[in-house]
Amino acid sequence: MARRPLPRILSNGSAQITRGRELARTAAGGATDVLHPLITISRGLRRLALAGRRKWTETPKDRRGPLLFLTASVILVVALVPYGPLLAGIALMAAAGWQGRDRRPAQPTGPNDAQTARLRSLYEALVPYFSVTDDPAPLYAPGGDWTQTLSSFEFDETGRISCLRIRYPAYFTDGEAESRARIEQLVHAKSGRGREYHFQWDEEGNELTVTVLPPLPTDIAAQRFVTAPGETVLGFTDPTGVQRTLPLTQGEEQRDVPPVVWRTGPRSTEPHLLIVGGPGSGTTTLLRSIALQALQYGDILIVEGAGTGEYACLTGRDGVLAIESGLAGAVASLEWATHETERRLISANRARQTGHPPPDDIRRPLWILLDRSSMLGHLAAADGGRDPQALLQVPLRHGRAANVTVVVAEQFDGLDGLSDPVRQHTRARVVLGSAAPEELEAVLGVPPHTTPTKDVPPGRGYARLGTGPVHRLQVPATPDPYDDATSERHRQAVLGLLPRRSSSVAGAVAAEG
């Protein structure tokens, strides 16, 4: 059956409507320009009438008679004077035009003297980097015109640059990381230190857009995040970095914040995570946050190399298989994790061969969390024993197929003690705390597109999942609830997320009581 052609009004109606809208908009703009004097005079007459009425209302009643007589006398004199009505009409129109003018203050068309001086200083500082002696028409030259290269600028209330677009010559080596780093460091210094700047390089258009980033929220406490099984919230980032938000509750206030979500499980491209930071940077806080989220759907095994008791709140809870801080216990637990990974692989293979779904005992996720495992490695080397990290090779290599996830937290001074399997298989990376650009690039693989500040709050850093972009990160506050320095609000938030104690532990506690 042949299709009938659409009516003409439906086939090209949208084009006609668009053309009609453009004609109507053009006609309205032209009419506004032509009738602008009439609109101004009408507005002025209305304002004069309102002023006269207000004057008449404010005049006392005993004086209204003489005022009315005076007004009538003036009108009579003007009417009797030759050309009086004409001159009075002209004077009235002039007064109405003056009163009907647009009284809004004129917006500044350009930067003030202080802002101009700051932009010119930045321009002069960029001259040695964006100019060559053989350029016949240089964009950058000593004493040149900065308006040709610096545009779309914005300033904050302190007079410092908050947004700027920099145009640079095509021969600048913007594809080299060293060249970019020099420009970013210079712009950071000239625009004001103590803030985080985001640098967006447009290599095709030869433009650099510099934007001051607002600080990430540090008041987000640990809570149940609205995520699917296999999704773990590492922290929160900028709205432009991710394409989703999570609803959060803070007291009675609710808001949506963009998260950094790490996906684990059999379909994950980056099933294992490495967390690096300095003392007090928040690596243990992030590991505790991950443990509380993992306990919703799986079991966890914790190896604490420092032995500071940061995970005592998890002892005896449902889903917590063990918390080991000694060398012998860590080795025994990791040997069991290796055998468990192999058992899961064999069970899954047998189920696939027989055409049955995987058993339930291997579908429950197993998490292996290691905090400062390099310290146990040093103890093992001193005693001539086996490094516990060597037992991670099977869970790291086959963990995705066996539904086993490994998370390693280490400080910068212990990175040399990480084994090759840990470095190779933990391609999801997080760096917390103050770090040099070289350290950030060594861990993340690429430098971030922002300038880190000198003083950062705990839990603040960067995250990169595999080969994806680098995100700014703020870890939710998940402190040790047994620490005296913990606020009551954060303590109750963490205690509310802990699973109930297992029956054996609860019975032993009741018997001791």
Side-chain angles (χ1 to χ4, degrees):
M1 182 177 179
R3 290 186 177 182
R4 298 180 60 185
L6 291 174
R8 187 173 182 181
I9 186 64
L10 297 178
S11 61
N12 58 359
S14 59
Q16 295 180 356
I17 293 174
T18 303
R19 191 180 305 109
R21 289 177 178 176
E22 293 178 354
L23 291 176
R25 193 178 296 110
T26 303
T32 301
D33 295 338
V34 173
L35 300 178
H36 181 70
L38 183 58
I39 295 174
T40 302
I41 293 175
S42 301
R43 188 189 305 121
L45 291 174
R46 184 174 64 255
R47 291 176 180 176
L48 289 175
L50 292 175
R53 181 179 180 182
R54 185 169 55 253
K55 183 66 175 176
W56 177 261
T57 304
E58 295 175 355
T59 303
K61 292 183 178 181
D62 56 344
R63 297 183 181 180
R64 290 182 180 179
L67 179 60
L68 185 59
F69 177 76
L70 178 62
T71 303
S73 302
V74 172
I75 294 175
L76 180 60
V77 171
V78 171
L80 296 176
V81 173
Y83 302 105
L86 178 61
L87 296 177
I90 294 175
L92 180 61
M93 293 298 104
W98 177 258
Q99 290 293 330
R101 72 189 188 280
D102 191 0
R103 299 182 180 182
R104 291 178 297 179
Q107 297 293 333
T109 58
N112 55 32
D113 295 340
Q115 296 170 353
T116 300
R118 184 180 289 274
L119 292 173
R120 183 175 296 278
S121 175
L122 177 60
Y123 172 84
E124 296 293 341
L126 292 173
V127 169
Y129 301 93
F130 287 154
S131 63
V132 294
T133 56
D134 298 337
D135 191 351
L139 286 175
Y140 291 82
D145 186 8
W146 61 268
T147 60
Q148 301 296 324
T149 56
L150 307 182
S151 61
S152 300
F153 43 80
E154 296 179 6
F155 294 84
D156 58 12
E157 61 277 0
T158 62
R160 296 189 298 177
I161 297 174
S162 60
C163 183
L164 178 65
R165 183 177 298 171
I166 302 175
R167 180 187 173 199
Y168 57 87
Y171 51 75
F172 175 72
T173 55
D174 52 3
E176 299 179 2
E178 295 80 6
S179 301
R180 290 188 176 190
R182 287 194 298 267
I183 300 300
E184 293 175 0
Q185 182 179 4
L186 175 63
V187 174
H188 181 202
K190 291 296 182 180
S191 301
R193 298 183 183 274
R195 301 182 296 173
E196 286 191 88
Y197 294 85
H198 179 265
F199 298 94
Q200 183 179 0
W201 291 84
D202 182 8
E203 300 180 11
E204 185 177 359
N206 300 322
E207 288 184 346
L208 168 62
T209 303
V210 184
T211 308
V212 176
L213 297 175
L216 294 176
T218 59
D219 56 348
I220 299 177
Q223 54 190 281
R224 291 296 183 200
F225 302 117
V226 183
T227 56
E231 293 183 343
T232 303
V233 176
L234 300 179
F236 302 93
T237 184
D238 300 300
T240 58
V242 295
Q243 298 180 355
R244 63 182 287 187
T245 58
L246 286 182
L248 300 182
T249 302
Q250 183 179 355
E252 298 181 354
E253 179 186 358
Q254 293 185 353
R255 54 178 174 171
D256 295 336
V257 181
V260 177
V261 178
W262 172 43
R263 292 173 176 83
T264 58
R267 293 180 176 82
S268 173
T269 58
E270 310 301 337
H272 308 297
L273 176 67
L274 174 63
I275 308 170
V276 183
S281 60
T283 55
T284 302
T285 297
L286 177 55
L287 207 62
R288 193 182 296 111
S289 175
I290 293 174
L292 292 177
Q293 296 181 63
L295 285 173
Q296 298 183 63
Y297 309 105
D299 302 324
I300 64 173
L301 170 65
I302 300 177
V303 175
E304 183 185 5
T308 57
E310 293 284 347
Y311 306 94
C313 61
L314 297 173
T315 303
R317 303 285 179 174
D318 287 344
V320 181
L321 302 179
I323 301 178
E324 301 292 345
S325 57
L327 179 60
V331 172
S333 298
L334 293 180
E335 286 180 349
W336 173 86
T338 300
H339 296 321
E340 175 65 13
T341 303
E342 295 173 346
R343 184 192 70 83
R344 290 179 174 226
L345 288 175
I346 295 173
S347 299
N349 187 29
R350 290 176 178 174
R352 285 193 295 267
Q353 290 180 355
T354 58
H356 292 85
D360 294 337
D361 60 342
I362 69 173
R363 298 176 64 180
R364 184 172 174 84
L366 173 62
W367 292 71
I368 305 175
L369 310 180
L370 296 94
D371 193 356
R372 301 296 303 277
S373 59
S374 62
M375 300 183 66
L376 296 177
H378 293 315
L379 294 177
D383 295 340
R386 188 177 185 183
D387 188 356
Q389 293 187 56
L391 300 171
L392 293 175
Q393 185 171 1
V394 174
L396 286 171
R397 180 171 298 178
H398 305 287
R400 179 170 56 182
N403 210 2
V404 177
T405 302
V406 179
V407 182
V408 179
E410 191 56 71
Q411 294 187 2
F412 283 106
D413 55 2
L415 286 179
D416 296 338
L418 294 179
S419 62
D420 291 338
V422 172
R423 295 175 178 272
Q424 180 181 359
H425 294 284
T426 55
R427 288 165 31 91
R429 303 290 179 88
V430 173
V431 180
L432 299 178
S434 300
E438 297 79 11
E439 295 176 332
L440 293 174
E441 186 175 1
V443 177
L444 300 176
V446 294
H449 293 290
T450 61
T451 55
T453 57
K454 183 178 180 181
D455 299 325
V456 296
R460 175 69 175 81
Y462 297 93
R464 189 188 185 207
L465 306 179
T467 58
V470 179
H471 301 283
R472 288 202 308 165
L473 182 71
Q474 179 62 50
V475 177
T478 316
D480 182 8
Y482 298 160
D483 189 358
D484 296 336
T486 302
S487 65
E488 186 63 23
R489 170 174 168 264
H490 290 162
R491 178 182 292 108
Q492 294 301 326
V494 175
L495 292 176
L497 297 177
L498 292 175
R500 63 181 180 86
R501 294 187 180 274
S502 58
S503 57
S504 59
V505 175
V509 173
E512 292 179 0

